[in-house]
Amino acid sequence: MTTRATSTFTIDTWEAKPYDERDGITLSRTHVVKTFQGDVEGHSTAELLMAGAREGSAAYVGFERIGGHVHGRAGSFLLHHSASMTRDAQAATWTIVPDSGTGDLAGVRGIARVIAEPDAGHTFTLDDDLDG
């Protein structure tokens, strides 16, 4: 059965290290740490490979480990990031890496969505399937 967990998160650490900058395009490795509040409670760490293009468009790939509680169930899981954005569209969809769940979240699978809010906040939804 699919359930939806809705949360917000704050970005505690954003460490971008450019490794190629030319012609108005920047390639970087970025380390991110987040804190989640809501149906998902906990912390995450992510490593992203990012491409920032002219006019504010961007794309990135990466992995994020979220640890804490989802609807009161303790454990962790990995998200696979793969997204493209324009300066006008700031939403992303990520997938849970199969068989990455631990603890009470073992076997979790599903999709996460993030929307960047106008006030610089972030809304996070997790549509997950977890037996039991």
Side-chain angles (χ1 to χ4, degrees):
M1 178 170 89
T2 300
T3 60
R4 175 167 282 177
T6 302
S7 297
T8 59
F9 65 83
T10 56
I11 297 174
D12 304 316
T13 302
W14 183 276
E15 296 173 349
K17 296 181 181 174
Y19 61 89
D20 187 341
E21 297 178 282
R22 58 188 143 136
D23 302 324
I25 297 172
T26 300
L27 301 176
S28 63
R29 290 178 187 89
T30 304
H31 176 75
V32 183
V33 177
K34 301 175 189 170
T35 300
F36 290 82
Q37 305 88 26
D39 295 332
V40 177
E41 290 277 341
H43 301 277
S44 74
T45 184
E47 292 296 324
L48 310 174
L49 291 177
M50 306 186 79
R54 293 178 290 277
E55 308 299 327
S57 295
Y60 69 97
V61 296
F63 292 97
E64 177 175 11
R65 181 187 309 269
I66 297 178
H69 295 84
V70 178
H71 288 298
R73 293 180 172 204
S76 67
F77 59 93
L78 301 178
L79 287 177
H80 174 220
H81 293 234
S82 180
S84 296
M85 299 173 267
T86 66
R87 64 178 168 207
D88 300 323
Q90 300 293 318
T93 301
W94 310 321
T95 56
I96 296 175
V97 174
D99 300 319
S100 68
T102 67
D104 294 336
L105 300 176
V108 67
R109 56 191 183 278
I111 296 173
R113 291 176 182 82
V114 174
I115 298 172
E117 303 293 347
D119 66 356
H122 297 86
T123 300
F124 176 84
T125 59
L126 180 65
D127 293 329
D128 64 271
D129 289 321
L130 187 61
D131 296 330

